[in-house]
Amino acid sequence: MADARTRRVKKEIQDIQNDRQAGLTIELVNDSIFHLIGSFPGPPGTCYEGGKFDVDIVVPETYPFVALKMKFLSKVYHPNISSASGAICLDILKDNWSPILTLKSTLISLQSLLCTPEPNDPQDAEVAKHYLTSKSSFEETARYWTETYARPQTNEGRGAPSGTSKTSHLPTVRDEVAMAGLERAHVEQFEALGFERGRVIEVLKRINYRGANVPKISEDTVVEELLK
Amino acid sequence: MNDVETGVLSAYDDVYSYVESVNSNLICCICRTPFVEPTSAKTCSHTFCLRCIYQALEITSQCPVDRSPLTADDLQPAGSIVRNLVDELMVECPCKPSGCTHTCQRQHLASHLKSDCLFVQVSCCEDNCEQLLLKKDIRKHSDGCVHRTVTCEACDDSVKFIDLESHQGECPAKEITCVHCSSTFPRSSLQSHNSTCTLMPIPCPHSTFGCAWVGTRGTLTEAHLATCVYESLKGFITLHSAKIDALESENLALRHRVEELEKTSGSMKRDISIAKASLGPWFRSAGSGLPPAAAPAVPATRQERRRSRVVPLNGVMSNFADDVHPLRNSDEVQGHLDSNLVNPAPAAQFQPPNPMYMDQSSSLGDPAQQPAFFPASTHPYADRYNTSVAPINFNVSLEGSLSSLHSSMIALEGTMNSMERRQDIMLTTETLRMREEVGSLRAIVHGLRMQVHHVMMDRNAQIISTSSVSTGAGNSSGVPRQQQEAVVQGVERSSVMHYHDIQPQRPHPPPLPGRGGGPSFPPSSIFRRSVFLENKL
């Protein structure tokens, strides 16, 4: 006979599979109901619209009394999500967990996190800086990331939901400048001075050479940073 | 039986399988199943299963639904409506997989499982049988259970069925047949039969002494014992074996004693070695008085004997004398030197028996005479004479050395006292002399002061008289004004000189007294006069 945790998780998986309207999906990893991959569509009307975001879910031993362990598998450009590891900064996944929360409600919370970034409590400081400096530039980059990394697959099995397998099907090579959320003109300007492209992008990204910040940072400062 | 059933019930306790879908208002939001023991919060009226809410409150003390603060004290059983609704939910019997098709209200499930359900798994009631069976099969099983108790037909004992076969092999009531005489009797009397069976082969009673005969009990007395060699020696053998026994026991007692003595001697050895170590170089074995094999010749032995007689005398002078003083010491030293002169050869030959101070003696040349702790470079006798401290000599007993050291201390104390007295006398004499000298010096200084005073008085009187004459003559007198001024200046100057510049004014300045040169002071008239004055005062 199954224990309470198993029964509840099974029921929750069924709930998600029965409710097609929300657009959520859930799959088992290694046939274990305690390690799952959930996905949800990017919220419409945001820069994440059209994407399909995969989340790695681990159900702890003491579930539902402690929080689910979740992290993004798709790369997301968002102040509260680490662009490197996919770690999520969300209160209900930490201290504000409640036993009444379910797989479904947590996935929907993540979806709504994409709608309402909280740059003052960031998980990724560089992205948060970008967001605060120029929201339009940030949205452009986020959209580009969504297109690059979170493109929904139709015909293919979803064994490897990481960005690389998806980008291989893109007609063009990934644009690093757009990926970093920088102006192409700025990058080319410093590239013309004889610096390597990758280095220029890295430095400009670090010092947040975007939007309203551009007039504040002198070219000499940038060159100094580049020479470091 | 009761324990087994409650175990079964608790195993099925929270795994109800509901017949129809349950109204979502009766679902616990924590475990997502209909409430079991529904419990409500007094503060916010949210309802949970008892077990779920307690587990949730262990982690955070707030209501899982609205996050308002909540503790276990705020909980109460939910209203009777809720309880009745969940209790009346129809559930299937959890033994459905085994074949039970029973459905009932949830509240009746426990009694169904306990009494009615024939598909509950129970274990056999026999002690060692661990087989789990469905309740309906239990009667069939217990009839054939190998652990059931049966009664032995022969002895009426209760025996487990599984043990019956092995019991047959040892049942005391079962009849058995003697292999020798073919008579039958119950197993319990086998022992007594064996001791009387005439056809049983037995050895000769003297087999321990070497008789090899073996035969049936019946033939022993008639056929064998009449001819047995050992039978005739029976008395002798008995006597000897008794003696041997006695000796063996005595031997044993003696061995014990030897062991005890060995133990005692071991502990004594340890004590002795400890004492030896603490004595250090003063330890001498019993044979140390005699010289080692180095001096076998008769004259040498004689000299040695003399040496050994001398040693206690000169080893430490004043060793045995309590009233030592430096004068006597010198006599003894003389004796020392004499003995040294008389016996130079044996002194060189002599080696102390104890190897512990072999190297010391070789560096000093004459260990019998010289104290081992004196440095080789200084002459020991001079040292000894001046300090009157007894040298440390390992050839003398410890008590002797201690008493000699003690007497040396007393002698030293005496010397110290006399030196102190002499020092006192010298100091007193010197002090007296110094006091005398200081007195004479004071007198000289006083005389000088008087003399100076006298001279100054004379001078002043002279100047005053001169100025009064010139004043009386008036300004028109023959004394020129310049001279007058000089005189006035002179007066002023003299008053200054009175204190500071006496010496150039004095026609015959007396010689200054040298420091501490009281007796060497040259006598002059002034000095004499001042001494006279002082004496008069």
Side-chain angles (χ1 to χ4, degrees), chain A residues 151-214:
Chain A
R151 173 179 285 226
Q153 286 156 302
T154 45
N155 301 330
E156 216 177 321
R158 290 178 39 250
S162 66
T164 47
S165 69
K166 291 175 184 175
T167 49
S168 61
H169 297 279
L170 287 175
T172 53
V173 183
R174 270 185 292 169
D175 186 346
E176 288 175 12
V177 181
M179 203 69 77
L182 296 166
E183 290 283 329
R184 191 172 303 278
H186 292 150
V187 176
E188 275 164 7
Q189 174 193 347
F190 290 105
E191 220 181 336
L193 294 175
F195 293 105
E196 243 179 76
R197 191 184 176 86
R199 174 87 181 137
V200 172
I201 290 171
E202 185 200 322
V203 168
L204 292 183
K205 202 166 116 184
R206 195 176 67 232
I207 62 174
N208 196 16
Y209 197 73
R210 294 162 182 135
N213 264 359
V214 173

Side-chain angles (χ1 to χ4, degrees), chain A residues 8 11-12 15 99-102, chain B residues 27-34:
Chain A
R8 182 176 147 156
K11 200 171 279 181
E12 286 181 30
D15 274 356
I100 65 162
L101 290 168
T102 60
Chain B
I27 303 280
C28 168
C29 57
I30 295 178
C31 64
R32 305 273 153 191
T33 54

Side-chain angles (χ1 to χ4, degrees), chain B residues 423-437:
Chain B
Q423 204 69 26
D424 267 2
I425 291 161
M426 272 172 69
L427 200 68
T428 321
T429 333
E430 191 69 13
T431 317
L432 277 173
R433 207 168 62 88
M434 294 296 282
R435 191 174 292 166
E436 218 169 85
E437 232 165 73

Side-chain angles (χ1 to χ4, degrees), chain A residues 1 8 16 19 25 30 36 59 65 68 71 74 94 98 125 127 133 138 149 162 194 204 209 211 228:
Chain A
M1 280 288 172
R8 182 176 147 156
I16 291 176
D19 181 8
T25 65
N30 300 329
L36 308 156
V59 182
F65 300 100
L68 294 163
K71 67 168 189 181
S74 315
K94 287 162 186 170
S98 162
V127 180
T133 312
F138 163 81
Y149 295 120
S162 66
L204 292 183
Y209 197 73
K228 261 184 198 171

Side-chain angles (χ1 to χ4, degrees), chain B residues 45-91:
Chain B
S45 310
H46 289 118
T47 306
F48 313 91
C49 302
L50 181 74
R51 207 181 289 180
C52 294
I53 187 62
Y54 268 100
Q55 221 170 330
L57 289 181
E58 266 173 36
I59 300 197
T60 44
S61 294
Q62 58 186 24
C63 171
V65 180
D66 61 8
R67 297 214 169 94
S68 62
L70 185 68
T71 62
D73 299 334
D74 302 327
L75 299 175
Q76 62 181 13
S80 56
I81 290 184
V82 180
R83 274 184 284 141
N84 292 340
L85 279 173
V86 291
D87 280 346
E88 286 168 13
L89 289 170
M90 294 300 282
V91 293

Side-chain angles (χ1 to χ4, degrees), chain B residues 16 35 40 106 118 159 167 187 220 228 250 306 317 319 337 403 409 412-413 489 516:
Chain B
Y16 297 114
F35 297 122
S40 298
R106 203 175 82 178
L118 293 175
V159 184
H167 174 77
R187 193 194 302 276
L220 175 71
C228 184
E250 198 185 334
R306 239 184 111 180
M317 41 177 176
N319 268 356
L337 290 169
S403 71
M409 290 287 289
L412 266 174
E413 199 189 347
Q489 276 179 348

